[in-house]
């Protein structure tokens, strides 16, 4: 389990940094990013930052869904913590939105990074961005 968690965390940080720099990404929420509001707390409390990232696109609901459907390696599913990368879109009308921070309420993607190579995952995200015109 320690080796698996290290892989999830290292890949997730690399992917979160890529997403944070992409012009089509509205926000990225990952405690390993220095830009995360609770990064300093996470640094004190965690030895690794996990494999779960939340992010939103500068796009409407239809484009978010097209983005998810354009992914080839990352699987559309609602679970987290699997050895495969999984992603789910939570739209602006989700009944749980009142639990989320304000930036999430317009819709966001919950992304559980698997054990695939981080560069392969990033390339999958890149091709989906391109396919959606983002």
């Amino acid at each position: 389990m320690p080796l698996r968690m290290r892989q999830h965390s290292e890949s997730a940080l690399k992917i979160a940094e890529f997403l944070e720099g992409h012009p089509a990404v509205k926000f990225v929420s990952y405690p390993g990013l220095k830009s995360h509001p609770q990064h300093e707390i996470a640094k004190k409390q965690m030895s690794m930052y996990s494999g779960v990232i939340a992010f939103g696109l500068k796009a409407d609901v239809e484009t978010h869904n097209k983005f998810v459907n354009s992914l080839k390696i990352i699987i559309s599913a609602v679970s987290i913590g699997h050895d495969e990368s999984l992603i789910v879109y939570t739209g602006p009308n989700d009944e749980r939105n009142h639990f989320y921070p304000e930036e999430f309420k317009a819709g966001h993607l919950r992304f559980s990074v698997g054990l695939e190579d981080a560069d392969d995952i990033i390339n999958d995200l890149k091709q989906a961005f391109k396919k959606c015109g983002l």
Side-chain angles (χ1 to χ4, degrees), residues 12-30 32-37 53-56 58 125 129:
L13 179 58
K14 185 173 183 179
I15 294 161
E17 290 170 341
F18 161 74
L19 290 168
E20 190 172 51
H22 196 284
V25 175
K26 186 175 182 180
F27 73 90
V28 179
S29 181
Y30 182 71
L33 291 174
K34 291 177 183 166
S35 61
H36 191 279
I53 303 168
F55 67 101
K58 296 175 185 170
L125 293 165
F129 282 126

Side-chain angles (χ1 to χ4, degrees), residues 86-98:
L86 308 173
I87 196 165
V88 63
Y89 174 60
T90 301
N93 296 322
D94 189 279
E95 70 272 2
R96 297 164 294 186
N97 267 348
H98 63 281

Side-chain angles (χ1 to χ4, degrees), residues 30-81:
Y30 182 71
L33 291 174
K34 291 177 183 166
S35 61
H36 191 279
Q38 285 87 36
H39 176 70
E40 289 304 314
I41 294 169
K43 208 161 75 168
K44 291 176 187 174
Q45 295 178 345
M46 307 166 111
S47 59
M48 294 178 270
Y49 299 111
S50 88
V52 180
I53 303 168
F55 67 101
L57 303 178
K58 296 175 185 170
D60 59 15
V61 171
E62 183 180 336
T63 305
H64 273 88
N65 284 315
K66 183 178 179 184
F67 177 80
V68 169
N69 291 329
S70 297
L71 295 164
K72 297 180 187 304
I73 295 172
I74 304 162
I75 300 165
S76 177
V78 296
S79 184
I80 59 171

